[in-house]
Amino acid sequence: MASALLERLSLDLEVLSEHLRAGLDEFGTLLCYLEGGRGGGTTLLHAPYTEALPVLQVLNGLAFRGRILLALDPSPLSPTLEGLPLTGPARSPLEHLLRAHRPSRLLLAFPGEGLGVRFPGGKETEGGWRPLEAEGEPLVLRVQAPTGLTYREVRAYEAWESPLLPLSLPQGEGPYLGAVGRALGVPTYGVGLVNLRASLEALLGLW
């Protein structure tokens, strides 16, 4: 599966490179660089690889300042060495992106609408997702990236919260990976895939 996914990613990279500056990192994350107007910093927009087409369509013609680094993450599709499926994005690929590119802010695409500004903490166990303080050990997986790189993923994620923004968008619970950005001092928000363009226009208008 890893080699087949890498082939798909490589084909997509070839197509995107005809239109954008694009690349593929060691975790198999597909990166696309979009340049906006003068001023502003770099916004890392992290989205599942499966949402590549709708997210790129949203970004087409979007007005913003600075740069957007779109990271299309294939980690939910990557096999694990224990044979258990990875049911959502993994921590290590995102940490690598943040340390390597040092963005001014992080936006995490997630199912839903509006902004994600907090997560109460949780873990994935053999019995499903539970609060961190609940009984049951979190799954510990050895994940194989499409590139063949393997890494350890402990499916336990700390609580996080970001300040509310002066926007009319719904603001509520967000994606579990938000603590990764907050721990590294990066302003972090979830952004819902429903009505994504409207949310991005409102957010990027602030920055």
Side-chain angles (χ1 to χ4, degrees):
M1 178 179 174
S3 59
L5 180 53
L6 181 59
E7 184 176 351
R8 285 168 53 194
L9 288 163
S10 299
L11 289 172
D12 286 344
L13 174 60
E14 185 177 344
V15 172
L16 287 170
S17 295
E18 296 176 1
H19 307 281
L20 301 166
R21 182 183 164 203
L24 196 68
D25 75 5
E26 49 263 62
F27 286 90
T29 303
L30 190 56
L31 304 172
C32 306
Y33 299 83
L34 296 92
E35 299 291 343
R38 290 187 177 183
T42 297
T43 298
L44 175 58
L45 174 56
H46 182 271
Y49 169 66
T50 51
E51 299 293 334
L53 186 57
V55 171
L56 284 166
Q57 288 173 337
V58 162
L59 293 175
N60 184 35
L62 188 70
F64 61 93
R65 294 185 303 157
R67 167 187 286 181
I68 292 177
L69 173 55
L70 173 61
L72 297 168
D73 178 13
S75 65
L77 307 177
S78 300
T80 69
L81 302 186
E82 284 78 9
L84 294 169
L86 189 64
T87 59
R91 178 187 291 107
S92 293
L94 179 58
E95 282 183 344
H96 172 75
L97 286 169
L98 293 171
R99 294 183 188 277
H101 299 280
R102 301 184 180 276
S104 304
R105 59 194 69 89
L106 170 64
L107 297 179
L108 296 167
F110 71 104
E113 186 173 6
L115 303 184
V117 297
R118 60 184 174 271
F119 177 71
K123 60 187 176 184
E124 187 178 15
T125 70
E126 290 185 356
W129 282 90
R130 296 179 177 175
L132 279 177
E133 64 275 9
E135 292 185 3
E137 293 298 315
L139 296 176
V140 179
L141 306 177
R142 293 288 295 177
V143 184
Q144 184 178 33
T147 56
L149 177 72
T150 60
Y151 57 92
R152 185 172 180 263
E153 177 80 1
V154 180
R155 300 290 283 174
Y157 305 93
E158 297 298 324
W160 64 274
E161 186 167 1
S162 291
L164 294 175
L165 295 176
L167 297 172
S168 60
L169 299 171
Q171 300 184 55
E173 187 169 317
Y176 58 85
L177 283 182
V180 177
R182 298 289 295 174
L184 293 174
V186 181
T188 299
Y189 290 89
V191 59
L193 288 165
V194 177
N195 295 327
L196 176 60
R197 188 180 185 91
S199 295
L200 287 177
E201 286 176 338
L203 274 172
L204 296 174
L206 286 178
W207 298 325

